[in-house]
Amino acid sequence: MVKIAVDMMGGDEAPDIVIEAVKNAVNDFPDLEILLFGDEKKYNFEHERITFTHTDEKITMDDEPVRAIKRKKNSSMVLMAQAVKEGKAEGCVSAGNTGALMSSGLFIVGRIKGIERPALVATFPTVTGKGFVFLDIGANSDAKPEHLVQYAKMGEIYAKQVRSIDNPSLALLNIGTEESKGNQQTKKTYQLLKQESFDNFIGNVESKSLLLDACDVVVADGYSGNMVLKTIEGTASAIFKMMKEAMFSSTKNKLAALTLKKDINKIRDKMDYAEYGGSVLLGLNGVVVKAHGSSNERAFYNAIRQAKLAADTKIVDKMRKAVGDVIE
């Protein structure tokens, strides 16, 4: 039985979408048990594999992260992280305040020995649907080359264990593919990555190639990674908005849209964040998954599924063995 702790109160549409996602998850996965933390006034059902803990305290999106987890010790997010720390759950999921969740991961769940800075990892879609692992997408705005090497090690393990890629290709995000390109950080990181025993380091990759199946794992500092994340999300949203406006601009276009509706929906689903669930904070002594703040029920469901998969594959134990014991 896999136990996952869930923050019922975090996110734009909480708690309704969280409750629906939890219901569907326990029905679909007979080996899943949920520890749910939230306001009992919003919780209106019971299940033999759901343990509910009441709290009417929550961390809001406007709260300062570190201050919030220190002052709101009875909040749904803090209690959720505490459950992981105490071994009551293997992982946790929240769509709440990103900074507070990362602080909860660092200060409550704790880091794996040898990991200087955890990284936020997500799976991004590509044109073929294969996708790629991308980290760091915002946990650390500033990072040293040595930190990027740690990210690379964690990303490679994640691709192998969670995404079942036998020999994942690894690349460093840069402004050009040549070895001499980039700033001092990327140049030094490139040399360090060459010296490490990665199975398949292929060098630099440009952002324009990311969605074209350029590689399986992409490494970047959190500032650059988050910029790419927001650019991809914004571009995808803008393109589909323009397509929708064009398709309904005339009767002729409406008829064409009906013919292409199924194919257009397939493309939309490839780019939909809801299909990928959330981002995992790698490098901690437990599985911590950050669901999108605007998650719908399907997205949060997939975040729970992602946390369960990470727990099933013992990603923390494998990360601890392969990374923590090596980098000190």
Side-chain angles (χ1 to χ4, degrees):
M1 190 71 67
V2 175
K3 294 183 179 181
I4 302 296
V6 174
D7 171 14
M8 194 177 92
M9 309 308 292
D12 298 342
E13 304 298 326
D16 295 341
I17 63 99
V18 177
I19 292 173
E20 289 304 311
V22 167
K23 284 182 182 179
N24 291 333
V26 291
N27 287 331
D28 289 349
F29 303 111
D31 61 338
L32 174 65
E33 184 175 334
I34 296 289
L35 308 183
L36 189 60
F37 299 88
D39 189 344
E40 62 185 2
K41 295 177 183 177
K42 305 291 185 178
Y43 181 69
N44 55 8
F45 75 100
E46 292 184 1
H47 191 283
E48 60 183 3
R49 284 184 280 110
I50 298 176
T51 302
F52 181 76
T53 300
H54 167 70
T55 177
D56 54 11
E57 188 172 33
K58 69 175 182 178
I59 293 175
T60 70
M61 294 297 189
D62 296 325
D63 282 333
E64 195 281 321
V66 176
R67 185 180 296 113
I69 66 168
K70 288 182 178 180
R71 294 184 177 180
K72 295 185 175 182
K73 295 186 182 298
N74 199 43
S75 64
S76 52
M77 183 184 291
V78 170
L79 292 177
M80 172 196 75
Q82 195 71 35
V84 178
K85 179 184 179 180
E86 295 172 357
K88 296 176 181 178
E90 287 107 308
C92 58
V93 182
S94 175
N97 185 312
T98 301
L101 182 62
M102 289 192 291
S103 296
S104 297
L106 280 171
F107 300 120
I108 299 176
V109 177
R111 292 177 296 174
I112 291 173
K113 181 182 178 182
I115 297 294
E116 293 184 28
R117 294 189 181 184
L120 206 54
V121 62
T123 299
F124 278 54
T126 57
V127 291
T128 64
K130 180 182 179 182
F132 69 95
V133 173
F134 191 27
L135 73 168
D136 177 22
I137 59 167
N140 302 286
S141 296
D142 298 311
K144 298 177 182 178
E146 291 77 12
H147 297 149
L148 295 181
V149 173
Q150 288 188 359
Y151 300 167
K153 288 181 179 291
M154 292 191 289
E156 184 181 64
I157 295 167
Y158 187 84
K160 289 179 178 179
Q161 301 299 329
V162 176
R163 306 211 62 239
S164 302
I165 302 174
D166 292 332
N167 185 32
S169 54
L170 167 71
L172 175 66
L173 184 68
N174 209 333
I175 59 173
T177 58
E178 300 89 347
E179 184 174 341
S180 60
K181 287 285 188 176
N183 54 23
Q184 292 301 313
Q185 180 202 53
T186 54
K187 289 178 182 178
K188 184 175 180 180
T189 302
Y190 189 104
Q191 297 305 318
L192 290 176
L193 291 173
K194 281 180 61 178
Q195 295 168 18
E196 293 288 339
S197 56
F198 290 104
D199 295 338
N200 192 12
F201 175 56
I202 62 172
N204 291 322
V205 64
E206 295 177 297
S207 56
K208 68 178 182 180
S209 303
L210 295 180
L211 303 187
L212 301 175
D213 295 286
C215 56
D216 299 311
V217 181
V218 178
V219 178
D221 62 83
Y223 181 85
S224 302
N226 194 262
M227 292 281 282
V228 171
L229 165 68
K230 298 295 173 58
T231 299
I232 290 176
E233 286 182 339
T235 301
S237 177
I239 288 174
F240 281 104
K241 183 177 181 180
M242 289 187 288
M243 286 177 61
K244 186 176 180 180
E245 290 175 352
M247 287 187 295
F248 289 92
S249 63
S250 67
T251 302
K252 178 185 68 174
N253 287 4
K254 288 178 182 178
L255 292 173
L258 286 173
T259 304
L260 296 171
K261 183 178 179 180
K262 185 178 292 186
D263 295 315
I264 292 171
N265 286 341
K266 286 181 181 179
I267 297 173
R268 181 198 62 198
D269 290 344
K270 275 186 181 181
M271 300 300 294
D272 188 358
Y273 73 86
E275 296 299 322
Y276 295 89
S279 306
V280 181
L281 193 57
L282 294 181
L284 300 178
N285 282 310
V287 176
V288 178
V289 175
K290 172 65 176 74
H292 206 290
S294 59
S295 288
N296 55 25
E297 177 273 323
R298 182 162 57 101
F300 202 91
Y301 169 92
N302 281 325
I304 295 173
R305 179 179 57 81
Q306 188 175 28
K308 180 183 181 299
L309 177 60
D312 280 335
T313 57
K314 306 295 182 185
I315 189 69
V316 173
D317 291 339
K318 290 170 182 175
M319 200 77 68
R320 187 182 292 116
K321 181 179 180 180
V323 180
D325 293 342
V326 175
I327 308 175
E328 297 195 36

